[in-house]
Structure formats: structure tokens, C-alpha cells
Amino acid sequence: DFGGCMFVWRVGRQSVQWWGIGTWGRECEKECRSGSWAWGARWYGSRKERRAAKMAAKKAEKGEKIDFGRVGNTLRMGLVGLPNVGKSSTFNLLTKLSVPAENFPFCTIEPNFARVNVPDERFQWLVDAYKPKNKVSAHLEVVDIAGLVRGAAQGAGLGNAFLSNISAVDGIFHVCRAFEDADITHVEDRVDPVDDLDIIHSELRAKDLDKVQRIIEDIEKNTKSRGMKKEDKDTLEWAKKIEGVLEEGKCVRHCDWSAKEVEFLNTLQLLSAKPCVYLVNLSEKDYQRKKNKWLNKIAQWVRSKSDKDPIIPYSGAFEADYLEMPEDEQQAYCKENAIQSSLSKIITTGFRAINLIYFFTAGPDEVKCWQIRKGSKAPQAAGAIHTDFERGFICAEVMKYAELHELGNEQAVKAAGKYKQEGKNYVVEDGDVIYFKFNVSNPGKKK
């Protein structure tokens, strides 16, 4: 379609962009720089991610169910909300909770980005049982995102930075302020978390709608002279369906889509398609007595959209004091006041929300959690360790954690006949303890 046109490519981790030079070079460059050809970008990613994306495309062709979101094992949750609702405080609390493994230290890569270890009693039991030289837990990447104000989709306040950062994450921790504090101002001069929810989601949908409408305009404009191919017709049909959903005030993730449509949606990475966990920030008093005038209203608002989005009440004020206490004081204080920290629940819920699970490898040298997408089969799980494991996959020797924990050790599991060999169609389950067998040979040259 671009006869006589040469391209200059700029290759990045997430995408490949191109500029045209030659017969239509000026026009191509103009279109690309304006962003109007965003719908034509080709997703790049790591080798594992590209392979997983191809598998998703094959599933779509067969009509099999595929999940929303970027394909990968290391995904991010972003803290989202209006200014002064407790996002940065929550970020600091989550990062303080992280206790690094010896060979995987907690690391703040940027001021607003951190890796937080996923707490898991199963991992600790395996460490105690095998007493390894090294231990590596699962982790969740968390991003503290700039605050939103009304009109962010049109660039108000830090809206552009806010929406750009949300595009880069895979799921949302939506922080709602349900506490009164005269010393902490609210950008809307009132405390109304339900109205805050409406503001946030309206801005996300508005940005998505603008993106989809530009795609529709570009296809209609660029196919006037040459006519529409099947790919153009499909893209236009899907884009108009998405446009209709957004104009009705619905989020993309709350609607039903075919496998082909989900595959297309995953190329757009729309903001309203990202999974959401609602964090309701209460005063310590309300959190302790489990009562707040906004809790039921927030729950009704969320359930009116979907009954699948988790809601977690917590108190930033309590958590800050709790983390400053020695461990023995923490236990005594919680017992005396009938209260528990919610930070572990927030981390594990966020991890599950973006469809991540992990399996264990365990031995005297190392106990490690390997993060994979939920629904991954044994060869793909092996590939999380090394691509050779997937390429030369023979079988997976699997122990269920619950059985290993009950029986006490690997020898007892084998004696009970519960040490299983699984083939390439085995779907790995969360908490499996796996040993992979593989063989990679170097084939001779063809003659």
C-alpha cells in the first residue's frame, strides 16, 4: 500500500514506530507525528511476550477465551485517585511492608515506582522446609500516579501525566477518600467518594473515547480513495462498537467481547479496560468499628457496574502507626483493639487482579516463585525459567503444595503416589511445586 516508500524504524521495548521517507514520505511523516496512525503501530515487547502474544492471536482465531491486558509475567498496578485521597501515603506504606529476599532486594527504581514482595505463608513454609541458600518471593510492581482533577482528559491539572501513567500500568488501585480531616484539603472542597468515583471513571472513558474516535476518523479518511480491505472493515466495526459502549457511560471491562474483539482491544490498552481494585481509605476509628457512612454507597456504586471488582476498606492512619511498632507491640495492639492490617490483602488482591499466579521451584540451593499468567500451560511456565526449558520441554513433575505441606516432604509425596508427571497440555495451578525435564539438542545442518 505504500509503493515506493522507504521506512525508518524506531524500536522500543513496548512498540515499533515508523516514519515514511520517499514518494509519500512527507505525508507519512506528518500522519505518524500527529499520532493519527496510532492504530497501525505494531506491538514489540520481549521475546517471551511476543511469543505469548502470538499464542493469544491463535486463541482468538479459534474463538477461545483470551484475557484483557498486556501479555507478560511482570505487570504493574497503579495507584489512582484525586489529589489528597491517600495515594502517596498508601504507596509509602506498601513499600515499607516489603521485606526483601537476600538475592532480590527491594528496589525503588524511580521515586514513584517500586517492587513490593507478595506475602505468602506457603513460600515461607517451603523456605523453612528446604533451608535454601537463596530465596526469591513473588513481587508486585506498584506505581504512584499523579493526582487527577476534573477535566483531565482535556489536559486540566496534571491530567496528561496522570493518563499517560495509567496507560503504562496493567491494573488500577483506585483510592477513595472516606475520611474527614480539616487539615487535608479536598480538590473539590468536600468529601464525597462516590462523586470522586464518577469523576475518575468519566475522565478515563473520555480519554478512551477520544482515542477510539480518532481511529474511526483515520480509517474512514485513509480508505476513501483505495477502498476498505477486510482488516479495515473489522477494525472499523470493532472501534464503533467500543465507541457505543463508552458513549453509554460503560467501562470496556464490564462488557462482553468476542475473542477477536479482545485481541483488538489489547492492542489499544484502553484505560477503562484495565482491572480495578477499590481501596477505601477510612479513619482509624471507622476502620476499627467497621462502620462509615460512605461504605455502603461506595459498594452500591461499584456493584452497579460489576460484581467482580474487589473493594478493600483500610486506614492509612492506622497502617502508618502500625508499621512503626515493634512486632510484639503490633500483635498486642491488634489483639486489644480487634483490628488487623490490610496491606497484605491489598498486595495479594492486586496481584490476582492482573491475572498473575506463581509456581514454586524448591531445593537446597534455592526456593523461588515464578510468576506466570493464569491459564498458562506447562511449557509456557517452563519458559518463564528459561526459553530452552520451553523449547525442549519433556514433562513437568508436579507436587501440589497442599499435599506437600500435609505429608511433610517430597519423599512422602512420592510414597503416597501424589508426585505427578504432566505433559504439555497441563494447565499450571497457583502454588504448584514443579521440577521440569527438558532436552535441547543442536540439530545438524540439513543436506
Side-chain angles (χ1 to χ4, degrees):
D1 296 332
F2 298 93
C5 185
M6 181 176 73
F7 291 91
V8 175
W9 299 81
R10 185 174 74 183
V11 180
R13 186 177 181 276
Q14 297 297 333
S15 65
V16 173
Q17 298 175 339
W18 62 88
W19 282 264
I21 301 173
T23 308
W24 295 349
R26 292 183 183 276
E27 186 64 20
C28 289
E29 182 178 12
K30 176 183 174 184
E31 295 288 346
C32 288
R33 288 189 185 279
S34 71
S36 64
W37 278 17
W39 60 272
R42 295 294 186 267
W43 182 77
Y44 190 66
S46 68
R47 182 184 299 174
K48 290 180 184 177
E49 290 169 340
R50 293 199 306 275
R51 185 168 60 250
K54 287 181 180 178
M55 290 181 62
K58 289 181 180 178
K59 283 186 176 181
E61 289 176 2
K62 295 177 181 178
E64 297 179 15
K65 183 182 181 297
I66 59 176
D67 295 319
F68 278 120
R70 183 169 61 92
V71 178
N73 300 334
T74 305
L75 307 179
R76 300 177 179 180
M77 289 289 290
L79 285 157
V80 173
L82 271 68
N84 294 342
V85 298
K87 298 186 309 300
S88 295
S89 298
T90 304
F91 177 82
N92 291 333
L93 292 169
L94 293 173
T95 56
K96 284 181 182 178
L97 182 68
S98 178
V99 180
E102 293 178 8
N103 67 334
F104 181 51
F106 163 76
C107 178
T108 301
I109 300 172
E110 296 177 358
N112 64 338
F113 173 84
R115 284 181 171 180
V116 182
N117 287 331
V118 178
D120 190 340
E121 293 179 353
R122 300 174 301 178
F123 173 73
Q124 190 56 51
W125 185 88
L126 289 170
V127 169
D128 294 340
Y130 283 91
K131 297 178 173 54
K133 298 174 185 176
N134 297 312
K135 53 184 179 180
V136 183
S137 69
H139 66 269
L140 177 67
E141 299 193 0
V142 183
V143 184
D144 182 18
I145 295 176
L148 170 75
V149 295
R150 196 187 299 271
Q154 287 73 46
L158 293 175
N160 289 330
F162 173 92
L163 296 166
S164 174
N165 287 334
I166 294 181
S167 295
V169 301
D170 304 282
I172 295 172
F173 280 132
H174 191 150
V175 183
C176 310
R177 174 177 171 175
F179 65 89
E180 300 279 353
D181 191 330
D183 295 329
I184 303 176
T185 60
H186 192 288
V187 70
E188 296 285 328
D189 293 325
R190 51 93 186 112
V191 174
D192 187 342
V194 175
D195 191 41
D196 293 351
L197 288 167
D198 282 327
I199 291 173
I200 294 278
H201 285 276
S202 294
E203 297 301 331
L204 298 185
R205 289 195 304 270
K207 196 67 177 180
D208 286 348
L209 185 60
D210 177 67
K211 184 173 187 176
V212 171
Q213 287 176 338
R214 283 191 287 112
I215 292 172
I216 294 171
E217 291 171 5
D218 292 338
I219 294 176
E220 290 176 342
K221 181 180 70 174
N222 294 321
T223 56
K224 277 184 180 178
S225 58
R226 63 175 173 84
M228 283 195 186
K229 297 181 179 178
K230 183 181 184 305
E231 182 181 352
D232 298 320
K233 290 179 181 178
D234 289 341
T235 302
L236 186 61
E237 178 186 344
W238 296 331
K240 285 189 173 181
K241 181 177 177 180
I242 298 167
E243 179 187 34
V245 165
L246 294 169
E247 287 178 338
E248 290 175 8
K250 297 178 182 178
C251 289
V252 167
R253 70 179 181 279
H254 294 150
C255 299
D256 295 325
W257 306 93
S258 69
K260 279 286 187 181
E261 288 167 342
V262 173
E263 184 189 11
F264 172 66
L265 281 163
N266 284 345
T267 67
L268 304 182
Q269 289 295 293
L270 297 178
L271 306 182
S272 65
K274 299 180 186 296
C276 188
V277 177
Y278 294 92
L279 307 181
V280 184
N281 194 357
L282 307 171
S283 67
E284 181 172 355
K285 180 181 177 182
D286 286 352
Y287 180 64
Q288 182 177 351
R289 66 193 184 107
K290 298 179 175 62
K291 289 184 179 180
N292 178 278
K293 67 179 182 179
W294 294 109
L295 277 175
N296 283 337
K297 294 178 182 179
I298 292 171
Q300 288 172 10
W301 187 95
V302 173
R303 297 294 171 249
S304 70
K305 314 295 181 184
S306 170
D307 59 358
K308 296 180 180 179
D309 293 339
I311 305 171
I312 303 177
Y314 77 109
S315 171
F318 160 70
E319 299 291 355
D321 292 339
Y322 176 82
L323 289 180
E324 295 297 325
M325 300 177 191
E327 186 175 349
D328 57 341
E329 287 186 23
Q330 287 179 345
Q331 295 174 357
Y333 184 85
C334 289
K335 184 176 181 180
E336 179 183 346
N337 293 279
I339 194 172
Q340 292 293 330
S341 171
S342 291
L343 297 184
S344 294
K345 184 178 181 180
I346 290 172
I347 294 170
T348 54
T349 303
F351 190 85
R352 306 302 177 203
I354 48 180
N355 284 322
L356 288 179
I357 62 171
Y358 47 87
F359 64 91
F360 301 105
T361 53
D365 290 329
E366 183 179 68
V367 170
K368 184 169 182 176
C369 300
W370 296 93
Q371 299 178 189
I372 57 173
R373 286 291 292 242
K374 185 178 180 181
S376 297
K377 293 185 178 180
Q380 289 75 56
I385 300 175
H386 196 284
T387 53
D388 283 352
F389 281 39
E390 180 176 3
R391 187 161 58 93
F393 177 85
I394 297 173
C395 71
E397 297 183 347
V398 182
M399 293 183 287
K400 297 299 179 185
Y401 170 81
E403 295 170 350
L404 175 61
H405 182 266
E406 179 186 353
L407 296 171
N409 57 59
E410 187 175 317
Q411 291 70 29
V413 174
K414 289 180 178 179
K418 295 184 177 181
Y419 192 89
K420 307 291 186 180
Q421 281 196 345
E422 303 288 357
K424 63 181 181 180
N425 290 322
Y426 175 70
V427 177
V428 175
E429 297 180 3
D430 184 57
D432 280 351
V433 183
I434 304 181
Y435 174 80
F436 291 104
K437 287 186 176 180
F438 73 103
N439 179 39
V440 178
S441 58
N442 294 318
K445 294 183 179 179
K446 293 183 179 180
K447 295 183 180 180

